[in-house]
């Protein structure tokens, strides 16, 4: 076990039982012409965390620790996308409609791929999730249990939507969760700040938060 300097108090990292989860670092959220951009967001905010996230992935890769990449992705016939989800958002472009990088949030489309600098390697787990949370309709809990994973380190976008939802789902399933605060981002800085405060409130009601430097220092 290795102790990581974190808030609200040190996090016990257990090598062999810890996986990295990189949430939705896909072109649809990070690049111009994708879903996030179509909603009128400044995607440069999210692109800025790519180098930190790459360092975090590298830390896990060098030690052969498990890495899970998620994508928010729907089947081409949208049978896994509730009409309520399709209806919301930008009145111009909805999930399944065609943007500059193909159909928005549809599996297999160019915009649905993880950005080139963070592309998964063979052997890493890639999970297509139809929901905001990574456990809904993915079977991931069963896979993690089979790998004897009890601890999850989180990165990715957006902090208050898919990262927070996934972390809360994981917390309810008994995982000890650590969010790397400079490897996650939101289109809205105030939402990221509020999410971090919510996670660590009341003795870590959802989990822990630390900068990447704390992880790197612990495993230097
Ligand atoms: C959103 C996500 N924001 N990955 N998805 O719709 O956070």
């Amino acid at each position: 076990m290795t102790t990581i300097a974190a808030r609200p108090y040190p996090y016990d990292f257990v090598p062999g039982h810890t996986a990295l989860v990189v949430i939705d670092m896909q072109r649809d959220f990070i690049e111009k012409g994708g879903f996030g951009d179509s909603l009128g967001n400044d995607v440069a905010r999210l692109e800025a965390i790519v180098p930190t996230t790459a360092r975090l992935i590298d830390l896990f890769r060098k030690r052969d620790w498990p890495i899970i990449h998620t994508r928010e992705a729907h089947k081409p016939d949208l049978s896994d996308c509730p009409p309520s989800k399709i209806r919301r958002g930008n009145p111009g472009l909805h999930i399944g409609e065609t943007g500059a990088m193909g159909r928005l949030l549809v599996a297999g489309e160019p915009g649905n791929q993880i950005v080139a600098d963070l592309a998964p390697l063979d052997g890493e787990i890639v999970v297509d999730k139809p929901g905001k949370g990574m456990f809904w309709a993915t079977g991931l809990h069963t896979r993690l249990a089979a790998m004897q994973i009890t601890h999850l380190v989180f990165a990715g976008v957006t902090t208050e939507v898919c990262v927070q939802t996934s972390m809360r789902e994981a917390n309810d399933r008994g995982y000890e969760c650590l969010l790397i605060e400079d490897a996650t981002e939101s289109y809205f800085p105030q939402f990221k700040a509020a999410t971090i405060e919510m996670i660590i409130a009341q003795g870590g009601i959802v989990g822990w938060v630390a900068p990447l430097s704390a992880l790197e220092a612990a495993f230097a």
Side-chain angles (χ1 to χ4, degrees), residues 36 52 78 89 114 139 144 174 198 206:
T52 319
L78 300 184
I114 290 169
L144 293 176
M198 283 189 264
V206 180

Side-chain angles (χ1 to χ4, degrees), residues 23-26 29 35 39 41 46 70-72 85 95 105 129 131-132 156-165 185 187:
I23 301 280
D24 298 359
M25 290 298 286
Q26 59 202 73
F29 294 114
F35 183 59
L39 291 169
N41 296 304
L46 273 48
T70 71
R71 296 183 290 215
E72 187 169 343
K85 186 175 179 184
I95 294 169
L105 297 192
K129 59 178 187 55
K132 303 300 182 191
V157 298
T158 61
T159 315
E160 78 282 11
V161 185
C162 290
V163 175
Q164 175 171 221
T165 305
E185 197 47 86
Y187 300 119

Side-chain angles (χ1 to χ4, degrees), residues 99-132:
M101 292 191 285
R103 295 179 66 205
L104 298 179
L105 297 192
V106 170
E109 297 289 329
N112 208 234
Q113 306 310 309
I114 290 169
V115 294
D117 288 352
L118 306 179
L121 297 184
D122 285 349
E124 296 174 359
I125 296 172
V126 180
V127 174
D128 281 346
K129 59 178 187 55
K132 303 300 182 191

Side-chain angles (χ1 to χ4, degrees), residues 51-68:
T52 319
T53 310
R55 263 169 51 210
L56 175 61
I57 290 174
D58 200 47
L59 188 151
F60 273 71
R61 277 183 185 153
K62 283 205 167 98
R63 290 160 184 83
D64 221 9
W65 293 337
I67 301 173
I68 296 144

